[in-house]
Amino acid sequence: DTEVTQTPKHLVMGMTNKKSLKCEQHMGHRAMYWYKQKAKKPPELMFVYSYEKLSINESVPSRFSPECPNSSLLNLHLHALQPEDSALYLCASSQFSGQGVSNDFGPGTRLTVT
Amino acid sequence: AQSVTQLGSHVSVSEGALVLLRCNYSSSVPPYLFWYVQYPNQGLQLLLKYTSAATLVKGINGFEAEFKKSETSFHLTKPSAHMSDAAEYFCAVSDRGSGNTGKLIFGQGTTLQVKP
């Protein structure tokens, strides 16, 4: 298996809802990432997990809570989001987190907060 | 800190014409550089990457890029555009400033339009 999968593909949630995004890879990669991408903009890094430990949090608001249950799974728990959080959320993985390592991206979850 | 600048937010070419997408980087050390493509409503796909092994890098779908240190550039080219090349293209650099994280820093992107 050489791909990163993400579910759901689309998600609409209210500002009081709690939802989760799921990401899975079976390539044996030991680093996983969450990016946020607004329309017509480049992806912005949110979190990096390296060997299932959180290694980078790019000052992301606490209403976004990442979780890495094992080396193949990455979740992003969402609570009390704002309309401005509507975006494409991309998961990525790489063999390890290091310089010169490319990220393999999933197709993304299109999130709309109403 | 590393950064990349993509010149031209929108490039339009005719089918069969040369594709040239420009990327300039800023880095105090030799950088690692990447080109990604994003089709509508999809994730990003790696086209090619430069990691100092060779200055001319060949990628997928007939794309290539040349690293020019003297010009701090890493422009993406393809000899003959296909309609299927229409997409958003991102140049990225691997950040060396925050430990060994390999964080990617993206340019603002270039939309490639291919006209029949």
Side-chain angles (χ1 to χ4, degrees), chain B:
Chain B
Q2 282 72 39
S3 66
V4 290
T5 302
Q6 292 183 239
L7 300 175
S9 59
H10 190 99
V11 170
S12 182
V13 300
S14 297
E15 191 174 19
L18 172 71
V19 175
L20 171 60
L21 304 182
R22 299 177 188 274
C23 174
N24 287 89
Y25 68 90
S26 172
S27 176
S28 57
V29 296
Y32 296 115
L33 294 159
F34 307 82
W35 275 101
Y36 283 88
V37 61
Q38 186 175 32
Y39 298 100
N41 299 313
Q42 294 189 28
L44 279 72
Q45 181 182 15
L46 179 69
L47 284 174
L48 48 83
K49 69 177 183 180
Y50 168 75
T51 56
S52 76
T55 56
L56 183 62
V57 182
K58 294 188 183 299
I60 62 170
N61 301 340
F63 285 94
E64 64 181 36
E66 186 172 8
F67 174 75
K68 291 187 177 180
K69 184 178 178 181
S70 61
E71 299 177 9
T72 61
S73 68
F74 190 57
H75 302 331
L76 182 71
T77 60
K78 181 174 180 177
S80 176
H82 295 158
M83 297 297 292
S84 59
D85 294 326
E88 188 77 15
Y89 291 79
F90 292 100
C91 183
V93 65
S94 183
D95 185 21
R96 295 185 181 227
S98 38
N100 195 31
T101 65
K103 171 184 171 182
L104 292 181
I105 299 170
F106 288 90
Q108 289 302 303
T110 298
T111 302
L112 176 64
Q113 179 188 22
V114 182
K115 297 177 291 187

Side-chain angles (χ1 to χ4, degrees), chain A:
Chain A
D1 193 348
T2 58
E3 64 176 4
V4 177
T5 60
Q6 291 187 244
T7 54
K9 195 177 173 92
H10 300 276
L11 178 63
V12 179
M13 61 185 290
M15 290 189 285
T16 59
N17 291 159
K18 285 185 181 181
K19 297 287 185 183
S20 297
L21 309 184
K22 180 180 173 182
C23 173
E24 196 164 0
Q25 57 87 15
H26 295 288
M27 295 179 280
H29 289 175
R30 300 313 301 270
M32 298 186 76
Y33 311 77
W34 281 114
Y35 288 83
K36 173 182 178 180
Q37 186 179 25
K38 301 284 278 185
K40 304 295 185 187
K41 295 291 186 183
E44 295 178 344
L45 183 68
M46 300 174 73
F47 303 104
V48 179
Y49 272 84
S50 181
Y51 292 87
E52 294 124 70
K53 289 186 169 24
L54 183 65
S55 60
I56 294 181
N57 176 341
E58 292 283 9
S59 302
V60 179
S62 60
R63 57 186 184 268
F64 295 91
S65 176
E67 178 196 20
C68 188
N70 59 56
S71 60
S72 300
L73 280 175
L74 185 66
N75 299 319
L76 186 62
H77 303 298
L78 313 172
H79 173 56
L81 294 193
Q82 303 297 311
E84 59 264 29
D85 296 321
S86 298
L88 180 67
Y89 287 84
L90 294 163
C91 174
S93 70
S94 62
Q95 286 183 311
F96 54 89
S97 64
Q99 296 162 10
V101 179
S102 60
N103 290 183
D104 293 321
F105 284 84
T109 293
R110 177 75 61 188
L111 174 67
T112 303
V113 182
T114 61

